[in-house]
Amino acid sequence: MRWLERENPEGNVEYKLKLVGVSTSRLEHLVTQLKFRFSESTGSQEGQRGTCRYYLGVEDDGFCRGLPAGELRETIETLVTMVAALTGAVPTEEEAAETRAFLERACCSGKSRRPEEDYLCDPHVCGGGQHFSMRLRICKGYVGEFAECHLRLIPKRHACSYKELRVVMCGAHQAGKSTLMSVLTHGEDEKPLLCNGMGQARSRVFTHKHEVESGRTSSIAHESLAYGRNGHCLNYQTSSACWPLTPLEMSREAGKMLRLFDLSGHERYLKTTCYGLTCLVPDFVMLIVSAQEGVSEMTREHAKLARLLGAPIFVVVTKIDLCPNDNEILEAVLPVLGNACRPVRARTARQARELGKRLGKCENSGEGGNHGAVVPVLGLSCVTGEGVDLLHEFLKKLRPTGGRRQSHGSKSEMSAERGSDLLHFQVHRTFEVPSVGLVLFGTVLSGKIKVGGRLLLGPNEEGGFVPVTVRSIQRSQVAVGKLVAGQTGTLAVAGGPGDTDHLGDERHSISLEPPAKSPSIAIPSKKGDAAGYCGSPSSPTFTPGSPLGGSPPAKKGTVLIRGLTPSAHRTFRAFVRCTEEGAFPVYKGGVVVVHCGSIMQAAAIASVAEVEEGDSSWPLLPPEESDALPLLVGFKFLHRAEWMSSGSRLVLRSQQTGRLGGVGVVH
């Protein structure tokens, strides 16, 4: 008699006494159960993911009763059918013959088979389905024999090879951003799940309870929209055996993955919108306007911020069922987009596809003459579903522009160090997961991250960096081996005190030194440390062997770097141009809020100097928006030191009013 542990309802181990005479409905239930067991395999090592174990001929309490040879063989055949149905494999006649031979060798009785011997079933490689393998061991039970089956899913060669785009959704409060995100990413039977007009759809994407109660998005919501290689929306695909598609199935079949970020629309949460537009590095901005309420002040604020950051914009007019004649909306959108833009309405699928291709190729494409850049405009209703298909046709044709891919430095630095292994991972959010540890969610701006790589994480509250090791990587909730520039993913890292192999080379240091005669003032920090000047590091840098120091660096502005100097600074200089006169205090001692990448911190103005128009290498604002000359301004952070890269764009907000005040680039 042999006993195992009692079956655990969780985990990747399943006990089955026998699977004989299984009906179609019973098979669907078994496939769903098998799918759950595969999803429970979340080991940190590559060999532990996508695996599960089935014990056939074993009762739920762990008693290894065993089965006669005929029933055991039929039970194993049923398990093979279950895995084939789950992975979509359709064996050919030759492969079916090989499977029968495999079962014959494993389940035969007599001296030709040795007990406790492993038998390996070759993977199925047909029908476009996912490959799998089975390792079988036959053991002696109480009244017969039982089987221990190890199943492993083999990812397809092109798994997780989809193109990735980041699209942020901006607009005023109650414009329909959350509702539209829910309609785009939730559906069944190849149709979207529409809204009932009472807020049913938006509750599926809200994060906090107070958001459901008030209807206001206060945080950044995130959903994935996947399109297959055949153009169908995978979020709407369902299957009788596997419903709905898992992240693994979706990423395996996806040809393009859009990461949709819903930013806050209420003026109370403007800082969240600024943080999202600067930190997420969007490829495109979806400006949402309500046909019922029209263009509001916050709509103009969001559109101005997107233009200042250079992100391509397209407009989506919602609630057209309440206001079918949206010509007035198109006229109102024109001044919001700028005088140099020309909105073009897409009314057919062909027009939507053409506008998607045009916006993807060049965000500033125009048609000569006095016309400016073409801005696509699409109208839809999340209640009736009108226009949703046009938006899908438009989104499927978007392509990465390449203009939003930031780097760790200027173009000259990139060309000079093209062969260097430099890495800049911008952290959006941090989590502390039980039994996993510190988890980072962010985007790779330059370089490549692999599992097992050793990087520097910081700056922490004291301004230092600590060495960490990447334990695992996930992309769209699917385990992968690496992340490259332009991809967003989640990293599980472990601290490594004593790891000193990642000190940055001095050749890659970021020069933030002030000019010899630059006027500056000394502003003491809240901690009473010595006064510093623009470019002088007044915080501790990386110390070899420094521990993590308690809580993880969960503050905004955290980065992962490799090959760059791990030095945080309290002061920096930037070319700044005001959006309008009196937008924020441009004088020594004035305080503004700085948004740069994932940094959001108050800073005091330490110095102001006028520069020539030609000295600015980057046009911060279109000429028609502001005639003010750019200023070379020195800033000092009031709370802690930050790691900033030369050439990064930044946004300034007035600390008193909270409104957008200026835009600039780090000198």
Side-chain angles (χ1 to χ4, degrees):
M1 296 176 60
R2 182 176 179 181
W3 289 82
L4 302 177
E5 296 181 357
R6 178 175 292 273
E7 182 186 33
N8 189 353
E10 300 179 356
N12 63 337
V13 179
E14 177 70 25
Y15 296 165
K16 291 294 180 187
L17 180 59
K18 61 180 178 179
L19 302 174
V20 179
V22 177
S23 61
T24 304
S25 60
R26 172 62 175 165
L27 181 63
E28 292 183 359
H29 173 74
L30 292 173
V31 171
T32 304
Q33 191 178 51
L34 175 63
K35 176 183 177 181
F36 168 75
R37 292 301 184 182
F38 272 122
S39 66
E40 288 291 288
S41 57
T42 56
S44 59
Q45 299 180 2
E46 184 67 25
Q48 297 177 353
R49 294 191 295 266
T51 63
C52 69
R53 284 184 296 168
Y54 265 67
Y55 289 89
L56 307 178
V58 179
E59 297 180 356
D60 292 343
D61 59 356
F63 177 53
C64 303
R65 180 178 296 277
L67 295 173
E71 292 186 354
L72 180 61
R73 175 169 180 170
E74 185 176 354
T75 301
I76 298 175
E77 289 178 348
T78 303
L79 181 61
V80 174
T81 304
M82 292 162 48
V83 184
L86 176 64
T87 59
V90 182
T92 62
E93 295 182 0
E94 296 180 358
E95 292 169 341
E98 293 179 0
T99 303
R100 289 192 297 268
F102 158 75
L103 295 175
E104 184 67 27
R105 295 192 307 270
C107 300
C108 67
S109 58
K111 297 182 179 181
S112 60
R113 178 182 61 79
R114 292 175 297 178
E116 308 294 335
E117 182 179 2
D118 291 347
Y119 294 87
L120 179 63
C121 178
D122 293 333
H124 290 272
V125 287
C126 58
Q130 186 177 9
H131 307 168
F132 69 93
S133 65
M134 174 187 293
R135 186 173 294 274
L136 187 65
R137 172 175 290 187
I138 306 297
C139 306
K140 187 174 180 57
Y142 182 67
V143 296
E145 294 178 328
F146 70 95
E148 180 182 354
C149 302
H150 289 254
L151 303 173
R152 183 171 70 93
L153 296 179
I154 303 175
K156 296 175 64 176
R157 179 178 301 178
H158 301 289
C160 297
S161 61
Y162 50 81
K163 298 179 180 178
E164 180 179 318
L165 292 175
R166 290 182 297 277
V167 180
V168 297
M169 307 173 69
C170 297
H173 172 54
Q174 293 184 346
K177 301 184 297 299
S178 302
T179 302
L180 178 58
M181 172 183 282
S182 176
V183 171
L184 289 177
T185 57
H186 294 79
E188 59 184 5
D189 297 330
E190 301 185 0
K191 296 180 181 179
L193 292 177
L194 301 177
C195 183
N196 61 352
M198 302 295 293
Q200 179 187 25
R202 66 186 182 187
S203 61
R204 293 192 289 260
V205 299
F206 279 153
T207 306
H208 305 289
K209 180 180 178 181
H210 69 269
E211 295 179 340
V212 179
E213 296 174 350
S214 64
R216 298 176 181 176
T217 303
S218 61
S219 60
I220 301 177
H222 170 221
E223 293 287 340
S224 296
L225 176 61
Y227 295 104
R229 294 176 177 85
N230 55 1
H232 295 296
C233 180
L234 298 180
N235 296 68
Y236 301 162
Q237 300 296 317
T238 57
S239 173
S240 59
C242 308
W243 183 89
L245 295 180
T246 63
L248 176 61
E249 296 168 339
M250 192 173 296
S251 62
R252 187 179 69 238
E253 303 297 333
K256 176 185 292 185
M257 185 80 73
L258 271 67
R259 295 184 179 271
L260 303 180
F261 296 92
D262 178 18
L263 305 186
S264 304
H266 197 271
E267 60 181 1
R268 179 180 179 182
Y269 308 110
L270 180 61
K271 63 179 181 180
T272 304
T273 304
C274 294
Y275 175 77
L277 284 172
T278 56
C279 177
L280 299 174
V281 197
D283 294 287
F284 299 94
V285 173
M286 182 190 303
L287 184 64
I288 300 178
V289 181
S290 172
Q292 183 182 22
E293 301 178 2
V295 178
S296 65
E297 183 63 27
M298 290 308 301
T299 305
R300 297 184 177 90
E301 198 83 357
H302 291 181
K304 180 190 298 184
L305 181 59
R307 291 199 313 273
L308 296 178
L309 294 175
I313 304 175
F314 63 94
V315 181
V316 175
V317 181
T318 59
K319 305 180 183 180
I320 61 174
D321 55 321
L322 302 179
C323 184
N325 187 9
D326 54 353
N327 293 329
E328 297 180 358
I329 299 296
L330 295 179
E331 296 178 358
V333 165
L334 180 59
V336 173
L337 300 176
N339 298 329
C341 298
R342 181 169 63 92
V344 177
R345 175 71 185 274
R347 301 184 182 277
T348 63
R350 181 177 180 180
Q351 293 176 352
R353 288 191 291 267
E354 291 296 330
L355 289 175
K357 293 179 182 178
R358 181 181 302 183
L359 187 65
K361 290 180 180 179
C362 181
E363 61 266 29
N364 294 324
S365 59
E367 295 184 357
N370 296 326
H371 299 286
V374 173
V375 177
V377 179
L378 301 97
L380 56 84
S381 171
C382 294
V383 176
T384 63
E386 179 185 357
V388 176
D389 294 339
L390 293 183
L391 181 57
H392 279 296
E393 294 294 330
F394 174 82
L395 295 176
K396 285 188 290 187
K397 294 300 179 181
L398 293 179
R399 295 291 185 273
T401 59
R404 301 294 299 156
R405 301 295 189 236
Q406 295 184 354
S407 63
H408 61 276
S410 62
K411 293 183 178 180
S412 59
E413 293 173 340
M414 285 292 292
S415 59
E417 304 295 342
R418 188 177 299 273
S420 301
D421 187 17
L422 306 181
L423 171 69
H424 180 190
F425 180 83
Q426 188 164 275
V427 179
H428 303 167
R429 297 182 62 185
T430 61
F431 308 90
E432 189 70 24
V433 181
S435 72
V436 177
L438 180 61
V439 177
L440 309 175
F441 173 68
T443 303
V444 182
L445 300 186
S446 63
K448 181 188 301 183
I449 300 179
K450 293 184 178 181
V451 175
R454 295 178 297 175
L455 311 172
L456 290 178
L457 175 64
N460 52 25
E461 293 292 342
E462 292 75 23
F465 285 74
V466 295
V468 296
T469 302
V470 180
R471 299 176 56 187
S472 62
I473 303 176
Q474 286 193 356
R475 187 182 176 199
S476 299
Q477 304 181 32
V478 178
V480 296
K482 64 179 180 179
L483 286 178
V484 299
Q487 294 181 353
T488 302
T490 306
L491 311 177
V493 299
D499 188 348
T500 61
D501 294 338
H502 287 273
L503 283 171
D505 194 304
E506 292 299 328
R507 296 176 301 171
H508 312 308
S509 61
I510 302 170
S511 176
L512 295 177
E513 295 300 327
K517 298 182 180 180
S518 175
S520 58
I521 61 174
I523 303 178
S525 64
K526 290 185 176 181
K527 295 183 179 181
D529 56 351
Y533 296 92
C534 294
S536 59
S538 57
S539 62
T541 57
F542 169 74
T543 302
S546 60
L548 286 173
S551 61
K555 71 178 186 64
K556 291 179 172 62
T558 304
V559 295
L560 274 174
I561 58 175
R562 181 182 60 228
L564 301 173
T565 302
S567 177
H569 296 262
R570 291 290 298 270
T571 58
F572 70 98
R573 294 183 300 127
F575 286 110
V576 175
R577 184 178 288 173
C578 301
T579 56
E580 57 186 21
E581 186 176 357
F584 70 97
V586 191
Y587 54 84
K588 296 180 181 180
V591 180
V592 296
V593 180
V594 178
H595 293 266
C596 181
S598 58
I599 299 173
M600 183 175 66
Q601 188 182 165
I605 298 178
S607 64
V608 179
E610 294 186 357
V611 296
E612 298 292 337
E613 180 70 21
D615 293 344
S616 178
S617 59
W618 177 63
L620 305 182
L621 280 177
E624 69 274 10
E625 301 217 12
S626 176
D627 296 331
L629 294 177
L631 303 174
L632 182 59
V633 183
F635 296 91
K636 181 179 178 63
F637 289 119
L638 298 183
H639 302 286
R640 53 186 175 270
E642 302 285 1
W643 187 92
M644 303 183 70
S645 58
S646 177
S648 300
R649 298 185 184 184
L650 55 88
V651 174
L652 305 177
R653 288 191 303 112
S654 173
Q655 190 184 42
Q656 295 180 351
T657 63
R659 291 302 180 90
L660 181 65
V663 66
V665 60
V666 178
H667 186 264

